[in-house]
Amino acid sequence: MNAPVFSNHGCRLNAYEVEAMKDLAGQAGLGNAVVVNTCAVTAEAVRKARQDIRKLRKAHPGARLIVTGCAAQTEPDTFASMEEVDAVIGNTEKMQPGTWHGLAADFIGETETVQVDDIMSVTETAGHLIDGFGTRSRAYVQVQNGCDHRCTFCIIPFGRGNSRSVPAGVVVDQIKRLVDKGFNEVVLTGVDLTSWGADLPAAPRLGDLVMRILRLVPDLPRLRISSIDSIEVDDNLMAAIATEPRLMPHLHLSLQHGDDMILKRMKRRHLRDDAIAFCNEARRLRPDMTFGADIIAGFPTETDAMFENALRMVDECDLTWLHVFPYSARPGTPAARMPAVNGRTIKDRAARLRAAGDAQVQRHLQQQVGQTHHILMESPTMGRTEQFAEVHFDAQKVEGTIVTARVTGKSENALTA
C-alpha cells in the first residue's frame, strides 16, 4: 500500500491538521490517495487550490483524490464539480477516524462523495491531538479552533465554525509529553487564540493558560504564542510578558489596518490608538519585545490618506515582521459588496507596505549585531533568536538544542553568529 500524498495550503493550523490526518489515514489503512487540504482566506487561495488539484491529478492519475479544509467546507460544490475530485470532506469530518475508515473501506461505492456538515453546530474541538510536528526543535499545539467574530472581509468563521477551546489540562498534558520527547519550544496555535477559554467552565483567559503551562511544565525551556488579537489580551498575559522569560518576546498581531474608519468598516474591535497603546505597554513590560502584524492593503473605500495611516502604523507600533495582504474580494463577505479600490493601486500600496516592513527587518537585524542570544537550532547550521530572527552558523550544531551565541553580523535577511 502506498501512503497517501498530502498537499497543504494556508495557515499553520492547517499544517498541524495535515499531520493529524496523516496519522488518521495511516491508522485506517488508506492507500493510493491524494489529500488536498485547502485554504479559503482569499479567492486567490481557492484558485490556487483548484490549480493544485489539477496538477496532482496529472501526477497521480490512478490515485483517489480527496479535498478537505476551509475552502472545501465553505464551497463544497465547487470542488465536487471538478472531474479530478473523488471526495470532499469538511473540516469536522477530516478529524474523525470514522471518515478515514470509510474512505479506506469503500471509496466509491458506499461513501458519499461530499461529507460536509454544518460547521456552526460543532461545539467541541477535535479530540485528535498530535504530539508535535514541523521540526525536531519546535512543536505546535492547537489549543483553540473557530472564531465568534465576523470581520467583513473574512470567510474563515464559516470554514472553521464558532470558537471552541481545548481544556487547559489536556493542553498541559500534551506539552508535558512533548517536553519528554525532547522538544525545547512549544507554540500555541489557534484560529482566534485570544478567545481561548470563553466556552470553558469559569471562562479562563489565554493568560491563565500561559501561566498554568509555565507553572506546571517547569522543564519547558521556551513557550511561544502565535497570532493574537491585541484588544483581547488579558491581565495575566500581560503579567506573563512582564515576568516570564520562558515566554518568548515575539507577538504576531492581527492588526489588519491603521485607519479608524477602515477598521470600523472591517468590523474590527480596536482602533489605531488601541494598537499603539498595546505595543507601547508590551514593550515597556518587555523591552526586547518584537512584533509581527497582518495588514491588508487596498481594503474597499481605502483612500490615500487612510492608507498613509496604515503605513505610519509600521513605525508607530515599531512592527518588524509584516504579513502584507493585497485585498482580494471574497464572495459571500460584506466587504465584497463595498466600493473596490483600483487593482493597480492595491498592488502599489502592498508594495509600499512590504518595503516598509523590509526596512524594519533590516533595522532590527542591525540592532542585534554584537548582542548575545539563546538560539534554538532548526537545522545543523540555522536557528532562531527569541524574537524569531534567523541566525546562520559556519560550524554545525545539534538540531533542536538551544545554543548561546554572540551575533557577529548580518546578511540580507538573517544574522550570523
Side-chain angles (χ1 to χ4, degrees):
M1 180 193 77
N2 294 325
V5 173
F6 283 82
S7 177
N8 184 59
H9 295 249
C11 65
R12 180 62 69 178
L13 187 55
N14 257 17
Y16 179 103
E17 290 172 342
V18 160
E19 298 304 310
M21 284 190 282
K22 287 178 182 177
D23 193 12
L24 289 167
Q27 291 176 22
L30 177 66
N32 196 27
V34 174
V35 183
V36 181
N37 196 31
T38 62
C39 173
V41 70
T42 62
E44 176 68 7
V46 177
R47 187 193 69 78
K48 286 183 176 178
R50 288 168 58 86
Q51 184 182 51
D52 191 33
I53 288 164
R54 287 189 284 267
K55 188 185 301 180
L56 286 165
R57 169 53 73 210
K58 288 179 182 176
H60 306 274
R64 299 168 292 181
L65 201 147
I66 305 160
V67 180
T68 187
C70 289
Q73 180 70 44
T74 57
E75 44 187 291
D77 293 344
T78 295
F79 296 97
S81 65
M82 294 180 69
E83 62 181 5
E84 295 89 354
V85 174
D86 294 303
V88 180
I89 59 176
N91 265 338
T92 301
E93 290 76 12
K94 76 182 184 184
M95 290 289 118
Q96 296 173 344
T99 302
W100 297 93
H101 282 286
L103 291 169
D106 185 355
F107 191 86
I108 300 296
E110 298 174 9
T111 304
E112 294 179 48
T113 303
V114 178
Q115 299 180 65
V116 180
D117 286 341
D118 177 15
I119 195 80
M120 294 302 176
S121 67
V122 179
T123 58
E124 294 182 353
T125 45
H128 191 89
L129 292 171
I130 57 162
D131 285 340
F133 80 96
T135 67
R136 283 181 288 174
S137 55
R138 180 180 295 110
Y140 296 82
V141 174
Q142 180 187 355
V143 303
Q144 183 273 340
N145 204 343
C147 184
D148 291 338
H149 310 302
R150 298 294 181 263
C151 297
T152 58
F153 56 85
C154 187
I155 199 81
I156 296 305
F158 303 97
R160 289 284 177 180
N162 292 317
S163 181
R164 49 221 193 265
S165 310
V166 178
V170 176
V171 174
V172 168
D173 287 346
Q174 190 187 10
I175 292 175
K176 285 179 178 177
R177 291 198 302 272
L178 292 166
V179 172
D180 288 344
K181 289 186 173 186
F183 286 96
N184 279 321
E185 183 174 297
V186 166
V187 186
L188 303 183
T189 68
V191 173
D192 181 27
L193 197 57
T194 31
S195 71
W196 179 88
D199 56 323
L200 296 176
R205 304 292 299 275
L206 180 62
D208 302 324
L209 177 64
V210 167
M211 287 293 208
R212 186 168 177 175
I213 291 166
L214 292 170
R215 185 178 73 253
L216 297 179
V217 196
D219 294 337
L220 172 67
R222 292 161 70 132
L223 180 67
R224 199 179 287 277
I225 52 181
S226 58
S227 182
I228 62 169
D229 203 334
S230 59
I231 200 68
E232 289 185 323
V233 169
D234 60 280
D235 291 344
N236 254 352
L237 187 52
M238 296 305 284
I241 289 169
T243 63
E244 292 286 356
R246 290 186 293 148
L247 179 63
M248 292 297 95
H250 167 238
L251 296 172
H252 189 85
L253 309 176
S254 179
L255 293 183
Q256 310 305 343
H257 212 272
D259 180 83
D260 284 347
M261 181 55 72
I262 292 293
L263 288 166
K264 289 177 181 177
R265 288 171 180 165
M266 287 178 164
K267 214 172 175 183
R268 301 293 293 165
R269 283 155 297 119
H270 71 274
L271 298 175
R272 65 177 287 116
D273 285 349
D274 298 321
I276 294 168
F278 170 80
C279 291
N280 287 340
E281 178 63 6
R283 193 170 277 110
R284 183 186 72 78
L285 296 173
R286 189 82 177 264
D288 60 344
M289 180 66 73
T290 61
F291 300 107
D294 296 330
I295 300 184
I296 295 173
F299 186 82
T301 76
E302 183 188 74
T303 63
D304 287 343
M306 291 170 175
F307 170 72
E308 292 297 332
N309 281 337
L311 190 62
R312 283 204 306 276
M313 284 287 286
V314 178
D315 287 327
E316 290 172 341
C317 285
D318 196 14
L319 306 175
T320 300
W321 319 106
L322 290 194
H323 287 180
V324 176
F325 298 89
Y327 176 76
S328 170
R330 192 69 183 84
T333 59
R337 300 189 295 271
M338 297 179 187
V341 174
N342 174 272
R344 180 169 290 281
T345 301
I346 293 175
K347 188 176 179 181
D348 290 346
R349 289 174 180 172
R352 288 182 64 193
L353 275 170
R354 289 192 181 109
D358 290 344
Q360 286 288 91
V361 170
Q362 294 305 313
R363 181 167 160 264
H364 172 71
L365 295 178
Q366 188 60 52
Q367 289 172 343
Q368 307 315 305
V369 176
Q371 296 204 30
T372 298
H373 281 284
H374 304 296
I375 299 158
L376 179 70
M377 298 306 299
E378 294 186 3
S379 75
T381 57
M382 190 278 281
R384 290 188 186 272
T385 66
E386 302 90 333
Q387 295 86 358
F388 216 63
E390 198 171 298
V391 186
H392 293 274
F393 294 84
D394 289 330
Q396 292 202 350
K397 314 292 182 186
V398 178
E399 185 177 343
T401 59
I402 297 173
V403 300
T404 301
R406 182 174 173 274
V407 175
T408 55
K410 76 175 191 69
S411 58
E412 186 177 353
N413 286 307
L415 300 169
T416 56

